[in-house]
């Protein structure tokens, strides 16, 4: 039999439960001590996945059911397929995680003093005091924190106007250069004296103080300490924040500072770079720096700009994630509370909350009345979620992260005149959803999806999904579980390059849909909520 991981997504990522069709031929003690079943096709898979131990479960006398322990997380779906293909097992399945039925709810609500209702971007119940709000117009952080709250091994570099690094919300969270000593010399030989917590490229010193306040707000959105009874909660409660000052105190900066900041971040171990800044001119220097980060596995997140016009640089570069902004009603922020509007264009990836985002004061550790509006505030929501994704799965590449964010973003949340089904220039692939993105990181990401069609909405919560194709004709459409089990197959005529499909009754999880039309076949992943 086959087991669909898609039906239940909470499981241990370095274990498998197996049940043989027949009892093992050797004694259980021998199997456990030698960590092998004396079946070549099974034992070679154990070696491939890095088997570290075996434990018998179930009825001890039947000698059929075992837990396999691996040295590290494995691709659970792929492993299940490969073990099943040996035809030795009644079943192979994940080691699922459950909870007692006495618990009420599954949302992690932090106890930070001003989190709700002021942080509408994280959880929006429709009661935001400062502006009209729509319940659910948020990034679903409560449920996301149930999955992941961050790791101190993940470093997010904030290229901005500096930061109030001694703010109580940043206690224990500021990155420290392990190779530098505060002795008035260039200990690590990188040409910078005493760059203990980063560097100020705007004024060429190690003073990271934030006169403007912009960088402190951005850093707080990413990583203000959660669940500490004060202030606000950041998206990630455990990552390290690397501060690199690339804007002067009036908010302006040179591309050379920005490029230097990128190189510094990459060379000092950053996993994510947030750039809430931009300019109107293209630059090979800046693009080379972005490409350097990308080629070294570092994701660069950039705000689109606030002129309600074309997307600025470096957000327009291919290897940067371009982020637009929404308001508390889930519409494109146009205008922001001060005017302007979220920039748009074909380079946009996704949008995230960016209007009236409350945060930290740049010099007063008890003042929580400041808020900013702009795509600058949208980008750090995305950077924080990426830090959580990497805490969940450190092997994710920038390309895989982009795929996760695009395929799990919520489509058609905004004004229908702009947020059309599928990709559009105003919302990209949709509004950031942290919960669904982290669920997909659990399952892994498949970038081999092909085909000249798009599906929407994705994720889907109802019983209908639509296809937009590049061709018309008689199509064969098949829906599979994540393990490849066929759930439904049918034929339909595509006209006007569009087709609506009634879905079968599906459990929550991840599925594939394949479409064959005019001898061309493609498939894509979708999520059922």
């Amino acid at each position: 039999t086959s087991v669909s991981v898609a039906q239940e997504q909470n499981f241990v990522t370095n274990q498998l439960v197996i049940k043989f069709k027949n009892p093992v031929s050797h004694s259980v003690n021998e199997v456990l001590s030698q960590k092998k079943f004396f079946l070549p096709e099974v034992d070679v898979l154990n070696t491939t996945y890095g088997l570290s131990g075996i434990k018998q479960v179930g009825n001890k006398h039947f000698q059929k059911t075992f837990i396999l322990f691996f040295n590290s997380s494995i691709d659970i779906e792929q492993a299940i397929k490969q073990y099943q293909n040996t035809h030795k097992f009644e079943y192979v399945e994940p080691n699922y995680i459950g909870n007692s039925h006495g618990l009420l709810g599954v949302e992690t609500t932090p106890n930070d003093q001003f989190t709700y209702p002021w942080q509408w971007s994280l959880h929006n119940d429709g009661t935001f005091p400062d502006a009209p709000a729509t319940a659910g117009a948020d990034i679903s952080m409560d449920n996301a924190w149930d999955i992941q709250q961050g790791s101190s091994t993940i470093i997010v570099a904030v290229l901005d106007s500096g930061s109030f690094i001694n703010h109580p919300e940043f206690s224990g969270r500021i990155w420290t250069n392990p190779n530098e000593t505060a002795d008035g010399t260039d200990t690590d030989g990188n040409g910078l004296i005493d760059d203990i917590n980063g560097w100020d490229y705007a004024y060429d010193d190690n003073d990271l103080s934030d006169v403007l306040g912009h960088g402190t707000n951005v850093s707080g959105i990413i990583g203000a300490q959660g669940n500490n009874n004060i202030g606000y909660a950041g998206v990630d409660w455990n990552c390290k924040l690397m501060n690199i000052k690339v804007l002067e105190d009036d908010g302006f900066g040179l591309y050379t500072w920005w490029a230097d900041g990128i190189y510094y971040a990459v060379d000092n171990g950053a996993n994510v770079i947030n750039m809430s800044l931009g300019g109107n001119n293209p630059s090979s220097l800046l693009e080379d720096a972005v490409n350097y980060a990308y080629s070294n596995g570092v994701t660069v997140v950039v705000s689109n700009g606030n002129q309600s016009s074309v997307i600025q640089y470096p957000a327009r570069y291919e290897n940067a994630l371009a982020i637009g902004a929404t308001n508390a009603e889930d519409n494109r922020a146009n205008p922001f509370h001060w005017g302007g509007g979220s920039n748009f264009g074909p380079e946009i990836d996704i949008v995230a909350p960016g209007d009236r985002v409350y945060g930290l004061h740049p010099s007063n550790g008890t003042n929580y009345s400041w808020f900013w509006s702009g795509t600058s505030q949208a980008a750090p929501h995305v950077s924080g979620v990426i830090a959580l994704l990497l805490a969940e799965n450190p092997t994710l590449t920038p390309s895989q992260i982009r795929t996760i964010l695009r395929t799990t973003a919520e489509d058609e949340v905004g004004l229908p005149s702009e947020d059309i089904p599928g990709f559009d220039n105003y919302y990209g692939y949709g509004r950031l959803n942290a919960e669904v993105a982290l669920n997909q990181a659990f399952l892994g990401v498949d970038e081999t999806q092909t085909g000249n069609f798009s599906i929407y909405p994705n994720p889907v919560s109802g019983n209908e999904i639509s296809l937009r194709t590049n061709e018309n004709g008689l199509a064969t459409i098949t829906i599979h579980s994540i393990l490849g089990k066929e759930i439904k197959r049918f034929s339909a005529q595509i006209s006007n390059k569009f087709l609506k499909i009634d879905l079968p009754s599906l459990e929550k999880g991840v599925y594939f849909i394949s479409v064959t039309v005019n001898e061309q076949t493609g498939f894509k992943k979708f999520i059922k909520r």
Side-chain angles (χ1 to χ4, degrees), residues 381-404:
H381 284 93
V382 177
S383 295
V385 170
I386 293 172
L388 295 178
L389 291 174
L390 289 169
E392 188 64 37
N393 182 355
T395 68
L396 290 173
T397 66
S399 178
Q400 289 173 325
I401 288 168
R402 185 195 296 267
T403 298
I404 289 175

Side-chain angles (χ1 to χ4, degrees), residues 496-511:
N496 297 321
K497 300 181 179 179
F498 178 82
L499 180 66
K500 283 192 174 182
I501 296 172
D502 291 326
L503 292 173
S505 179
L506 299 175
E507 299 287 340
K508 292 182 179 180
V510 179
Y511 297 86

Side-chain angles (χ1 to χ4, degrees), residues 145-164:
W145 283 323
D146 285 331
I147 303 169
Q148 182 61 248
Q149 296 173 7
S151 168
S152 61
T153 64
I154 303 302
I155 301 170
V156 181
V158 182
L159 275 60
D160 216 289
S161 62
S163 180
F164 181 13

Side-chain angles (χ1 to χ4, degrees), residues 106-112 115-116 119 121-123 139-150 220-227 232-238 381 384-385 388 392 434-436 438:
V106 296
E107 295 182 347
T108 299
T109 302
N111 59 23
D112 300 79
T115 294
Y116 304 138
Q119 287 190 277
S121 63
L122 308 184
H123 175 78
I139 65 172
S140 299
M141 276 314 306
D142 281 356
N143 292 328
W145 283 323
D146 285 331
I147 303 169
Q148 182 61 248
Q149 296 173 7
I221 293 169
I222 295 169
Q225 185 62 49
N227 226 30
Y232 299 111
V235 172
D236 187 302
W237 299 351
N238 293 292
H381 284 93
V385 170
L388 295 178
E392 188 64 37
E435 175 194 0
V436 182
L438 280 163

Side-chain angles (χ1 to χ4, degrees), residues 280 303-312 323-325 332-333 336 340-345 348 351 375 425-427:
N280 294 324
S303 53
N304 282 352
N306 304 329
Q307 297 78 34
S308 195
S309 182
V310 297
I311 294 172
Q312 292 187 305
I323 311 301
R332 180 171 71 98
F336 296 103
S342 179
N343 286 357
F344 53 89
I348 187 172
V351 293
T375 57
N425 286 345
Y426 297 95
Y427 293 78

Side-chain angles (χ1 to χ4, degrees), residues 267-505:
D267 292 345
N268 283 280
N271 305 99
V272 187
I273 296 174
N274 188 92
M275 300 181 72
S276 289
L277 44 77
N280 294 324
N281 302 106
S283 161
S284 296
L285 169 82
L286 192 55
E287 186 171 18
D288 282 348
V290 171
N291 292 342
Y292 178 77
Y294 184 88
S295 64
N296 281 278
V298 180
T299 301
V300 181
V301 182
V302 191
S303 53
N304 282 352
N306 304 329
Q307 297 78 34
S308 195
S309 182
V310 297
I311 294 172
Q312 292 187 305
Y313 299 95
R316 288 180 70 170
Y317 294 133
E318 180 181 358
N319 288 328
L321 281 174
I323 311 301
T326 54
N327 60 25
E329 294 182 286
D330 244 356
N331 296 324
R332 180 171 71 98
N334 182 39
F336 296 103
H337 85 274
W338 51 265
S342 179
N343 286 357
F344 53 89
E347 301 87 1
I348 187 172
D349 285 286
I350 61 173
V351 293
D355 191 44
R356 298 177 186 265
V357 178
Y358 279 82
L360 309 181
H361 192 279
S363 60
N364 187 330
T366 61
N367 184 342
Y368 294 99
S369 63
W370 275 40
F371 68 82
W372 288 73
S373 298
T375 57
S376 283
Q377 282 57 58
H381 284 93
V382 177
S383 295
V385 170
I386 293 172
L388 295 178
L389 291 174
L390 289 169
E392 188 64 37
N393 182 355
T395 68
L396 290 173
T397 66
S399 178
Q400 289 173 325
I401 288 168
R402 185 195 296 267
T403 298
I404 289 175
L405 295 177
R406 285 179 171 182
T407 58
T408 60
E410 290 195 56
D411 194 18
E412 296 183 85
V413 297
L415 296 173
S417 60
E418 292 186 342
D419 194 3
I420 63 174
F423 176 85
D424 58 71
N425 286 345
Y426 297 95
Y427 293 78
Y429 289 87
R431 194 247 304 120
L432 174 69
N433 187 308
E435 175 194 0
V436 182
L438 280 163
N439 273 326
Q440 184 153 327
F442 248 140
L443 292 169
V445 59
D446 188 344
E447 293 186 282
T448 63
Q449 299 181 70
T450 60
N452 297 320
F453 72 96
S454 59
I455 56 176
Y456 59 90
N458 187 15
V460 57
S461 55
N463 296 316
E464 186 178 82
I465 197 167
S466 298
L467 301 180
R468 190 177 297 279
T469 71
N470 290 344
E471 299 182 71
N472 293 319
L474 184 64
T476 300
I477 298 156
T478 310
I479 297 174
H480 293 86
S481 74
I482 198 166
L483 295 183
K485 181 181 178 181
E486 185 175 308
I487 297 172
K488 181 177 181 179
R489 178 189 292 264
F490 63 97
S491 296
Q493 186 70 36
I494 296 177
S495 59
N496 297 321
K497 300 181 179 179
F498 178 82
L499 180 66
K500 283 192 174 182
I501 296 172
D502 291 326
L503 292 173
S505 179

